[in-house]
């Protein structure tokens, strides 16, 4: 008998199903974006551009552990939604327990490694003699949030797979609100500066992780954290990692590309580094909304793929792409036209502002196609297609963006040319994602034997 919470996936009108899942995911991503902007805004009130640069430099380390959460979150969501679509609810519980306990163990080990090696790590990711003190302070405190960050990032995705997008949203939204409220108190009120920003992040993550643990331990969840239900065999570890590793690899390569970009940009000056950090945060207004669209539709696609409902799967794709197209155009116009006022909120130094304004407009050049890229990317992940997911993950950051940075730096050696690499990589990756999606659909939905094989693996 189908659970009431998954009725939306199986039989609700497609627009209702898509918006019911997309809107909470978009709100969650907007809150993550506001949190990122709030940190930078309140640090900017110190009028110290070195603090802004230090947080920009430290961000890749933070993204690294978000990638671990993505590994279990996106991999777990894909396998759980397909399992529920195939009517295998008990297996979904084993998967959620595997994701929780494995992710938590990795988080604790990572926290210890970061705590005892924070200064060395900051040098490795681009800090210099001017920013090393602030960067080390920030990262050292942030290390305590790593297990919580992994749990929160994992289950803000997985809970959507059981048809509870509102619960997933609440954990993210309230956790980030706590962070935002504490930022001015700790940074400005108590004069803790970057330490205050880090402490606020830790406390916000405590709430998010605690909220998800409470929900998953209650009778209202179809999933479980019970260690007795922990399973790595029966295709669970492979199923999670097969899609989770490409998703995490994409995040890790993004971290690596940010480190490389910061390193190359720092050879110009710290004003350019500060400007780039702010421009990326402003650009995240569009990116986070569009990522939310992709995240929101993934469980719907995964469920119907697992249920072998090709007609509904295709209908959800068509409607989602239309919504993504409209959303992409709107967000591009907003970010391009409002670039000046938004950058000015964070930077009053004229040199840093000039860089930030210029970079902000360059980064949004790819805005019109970003929605398509995220929908196709999540659709491929939803099907459990390992090779296409891996190719797409490696292409954008590893095979396209990082080489472009070095080529641009060698031939042009300007901050503007470095930043132009990002939209070039986005357009290229969108084209690749379309090709890979068509290939995936022809291979899996067009081949009855292949679909049967996937169902047996579930």
């Amino acid at each position: 008998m189908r659970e009431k919470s998954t009725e939306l996936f199986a039989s609700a009108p497609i627009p209702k199903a898509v918006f019911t899942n997309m809107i909470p995911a978009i709100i969650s991503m907007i809150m993550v974006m506001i949190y990122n902007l709030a940190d930078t805004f309140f640090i900017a009130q110190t009028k110290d551009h070195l603090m802004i640069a230090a947080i920009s430099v430290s961000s890749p380390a933070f993204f690294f552990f978000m990638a671990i959460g993505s590994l279990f979150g996106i991999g777990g969501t894909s396998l759980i939604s397909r399992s529920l679509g195939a009517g295998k609810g008990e297996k979904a519980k084993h998967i959620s327990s595997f994701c929780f306990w494995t992710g938590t163990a990795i988080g604790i080990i990572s926290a210890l490694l970061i705590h005892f090696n924070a200064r060395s790590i900051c040098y490795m990711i681009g800090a210099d003699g001017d920013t090393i003190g602030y960067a080390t302070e920030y990262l050292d405190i942030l290390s305590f949030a790593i297990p919580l960050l992994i749990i929160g990032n994992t289950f803000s995705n997985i809970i959507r797979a059981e048809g509870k997008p509102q619960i997933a949203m609440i954990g993210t939204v309230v956790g980030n609100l706590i962070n935002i409220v504490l930022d001015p108190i700790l940074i400005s009120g108590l004069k803790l500066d970057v330490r205050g920003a880090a402490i606020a992040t830790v406390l916000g993550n405590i709430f998010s992780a605690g909220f998800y643990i409470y929900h998953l331990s209650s009778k209202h969840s179809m999933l479980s954290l019970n260690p007795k239900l922990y399973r790595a065999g029966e295709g669970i570890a492979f199923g999670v990692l097969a899609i989770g590793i490409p998703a995490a690899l994409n995040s890790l390569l993004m971290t690596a590309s940010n480190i490389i970009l910061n390193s190359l940009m720092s050879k110009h000056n710290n004003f350019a580094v500060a400007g780039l950090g702010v421009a990326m945060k402003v650009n995240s207004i569009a990116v986070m909304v569009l990522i939310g669209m992709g995240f929101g539709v993934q469980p719907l696609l995964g469920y119907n793929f697992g249920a072998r409902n090709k007609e509904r799967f295709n209908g959800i794709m068509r409607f989602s792409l239309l919504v993504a197209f409209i959303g992409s155009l709107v967000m591009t116009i907003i970010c391009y036209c409002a670039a000046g006022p938004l950058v000015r909120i964070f930077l009053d130094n004229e040199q840093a502002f000039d860089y930030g304004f210029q970079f902000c407009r360059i980064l949004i050049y790819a805005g019109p196609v970003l929605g398509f890229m995220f929908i196709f990317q999540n659709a491929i992940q939803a099907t459990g297609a390992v090779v296409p997911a891996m190719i797409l993950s490696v292409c954008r950051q590893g095979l396209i963006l990082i080489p472009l940075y070095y080529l641009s730096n060698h031939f042009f050696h300007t901050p503007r040319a470095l930043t132009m690499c990002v939209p070039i990589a986005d357009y290229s990756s969108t084209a690749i994602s379309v090709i890979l999606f068509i290939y995936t659909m022809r291979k899996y939905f067009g081949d009855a034997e292949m679909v049967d094989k996937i169902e047996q693996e579930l």
Side-chain angles (χ1 to χ4, degrees):
M1 184 177 176
R2 185 184 294 138
E3 291 281 348
K4 185 177 180 181
S5 59
T6 57
E7 288 286 344
L8 189 72
F9 293 168
S11 57
I14 286 176
K16 178 181 178 181
V18 169
F19 284 125
T20 301
N21 281 276
M22 266 192 185
I23 291 172
I26 290 170
I27 292 172
S28 295
M29 292 299 102
I30 289 173
M31 284 307 304
V32 171
M33 176 266 297
I34 291 173
Y35 145 68
N36 286 328
L37 293 177
D39 258 13
T40 304
F41 173 78
F42 290 111
I43 286 295
Q45 303 313 298
T46 66
K47 309 298 182 184
D48 188 337
H49 75 277
L50 290 177
M51 288 190 188
I52 299 173
I55 287 184
S56 298
V57 165
S58 301
S59 293
F62 191 70
F63 293 147
F64 175 86
F65 296 105
M66 289 185 70
I68 303 299
S70 296
L71 189 158
F72 295 105
I74 294 176
T77 297
S78 175
L79 188 56
I80 288 170
S81 59
R82 284 181 282 130
S83 296
L84 292 174
K88 301 190 176 182
E90 192 63 26
K91 185 167 186 177
K93 293 182 179 181
H94 296 318
I95 298 166
S96 62
S97 181
F98 168 80
C99 291
F100 178 81
W101 292 106
T102 308
T104 300
I106 292 172
I108 292 170
I109 294 168
S110 300
L112 294 172
L113 291 173
I114 293 289
H115 177 67
F116 291 110
N117 298 280
R119 190 174 185 85
S120 300
I121 291 169
C122 286
Y123 273 125
M124 287 171 56
I125 60 180
D128 59 17
D130 292 328
T131 58
I132 188 62
Y134 292 135
T136 301
E137 276 188 326
Y138 185 74
L139 189 59
D140 185 30
I141 296 171
L142 211 60
S143 67
F144 293 102
I146 290 171
L148 306 167
L149 176 66
I150 292 174
I151 291 170
N153 204 33
T154 296
F155 286 97
S156 64
N157 285 289
I158 284 179
I159 288 172
R160 283 195 282 267
E162 65 166 341
K164 301 282 179 62
Q166 294 84 3
I167 296 295
M169 177 190 71
I170 291 170
T172 300
V173 169
V174 180
N176 284 319
L177 278 175
I178 289 171
N179 195 328
I180 292 166
V181 170
L182 290 175
D183 267 343
I185 296 171
L186 297 174
I187 295 170
S188 305
L190 298 179
K191 307 294 183 185
L192 293 177
D193 299 332
V194 294
R195 287 176 295 159
I199 292 168
T201 298
V202 172
L203 295 175
N205 276 279
I206 287 173
F207 175 85
S208 292
F211 177 81
Y212 292 137
I213 290 170
Y214 172 78
H215 167 72
L216 291 159
S217 301
S218 73
K219 62 181 180 180
H220 302 294
S221 177
M222 297 166 58
L223 306 177
S224 176
L225 302 181
N226 189 338
K228 293 180 180 179
L229 295 177
Y230 182 96
R231 300 283 191 282
E234 302 171 14
I236 290 174
F238 175 81
V240 171
L241 298 178
I243 293 301
I245 287 176
L249 184 60
N250 181 59
S251 297
L252 292 175
L253 286 171
M254 181 176 68
T255 300
S257 70
N258 284 341
I259 291 170
I260 291 167
L261 182 56
N262 279 330
S263 178
L264 294 174
M265 197 68 77
S266 67
K267 293 177 181 178
H268 295 281
N269 55 68
N270 277 321
F271 294 113
V273 175
L276 178 67
V278 168
M280 285 185 162
K281 289 181 184 295
V282 171
N283 187 59
S284 71
I285 295 171
V287 172
M288 288 299 187
V289 169
L290 300 174
I291 287 175
M293 290 182 177
F295 280 175
V297 79
Q298 184 184 343
L300 282 171
L301 294 171
Y303 183 95
N304 286 283
F305 183 83
R308 298 178 64 178
N309 190 339
K310 183 178 180 180
E311 182 179 353
R312 187 168 174 82
F313 182 100
N314 289 337
I316 291 167
M317 275 299 297
R318 286 193 294 269
F319 187 75
S320 299
L321 288 170
L322 175 62
V323 173
F325 174 68
I326 296 170
S328 294
L329 289 181
V330 171
M331 296 313 300
T332 299
I333 293 168
I334 290 172
C335 287
Y336 189 86
C337 294
L342 289 171
V343 172
R344 181 66 75 184
I345 292 172
F346 306 101
L347 296 169
D348 56 4
N349 178 282
E350 285 305 316
Q351 280 185 274
F353 170 79
D354 288 343
Y355 280 118
F357 175 72
Q358 182 183 156
F359 295 161
C360 192
R361 286 198 158 178
I362 291 172
L363 291 173
I364 203 59
Y365 286 166
V369 301
L370 285 178
F372 292 140
M373 183 175 74
F374 293 126
I375 294 293
F376 282 121
Q377 177 178 302
N378 280 274
I380 290 169
Q381 291 170 345
T383 65
V386 180
V387 175
M390 181 63 76
I391 292 172
L392 189 57
S393 296
V394 171
C395 272
R396 182 180 183 272
Q397 303 289 344
L399 299 182
I400 300 175
L401 191 53
I402 292 175
L404 275 177
Y405 283 150
Y406 284 112
L407 288 171
S408 172
N409 189 63
H410 178 73
F411 288 106
F412 303 104
H413 197 62
T414 66
R416 180 182 176 85
L418 278 172
T419 312
M420 274 297 300
C421 296
V422 177
I424 292 172
D426 287 337
Y427 277 103
S428 302
S429 299
T430 302
I432 292 169
S433 70
V434 174
I435 294 169
L436 290 173
F437 175 76
I438 293 171
Y439 165 81
T440 301
M441 290 300 96
R442 286 179 177 174
K443 180 175 182 180
Y444 293 116
F445 261 143
D447 186 338
E449 291 184 5
M450 181 63 71
V451 176
D452 287 338
K453 182 179 178 181
I454 292 171
E455 187 180 52
Q456 289 170 9
E457 290 174 356
L458 286 174

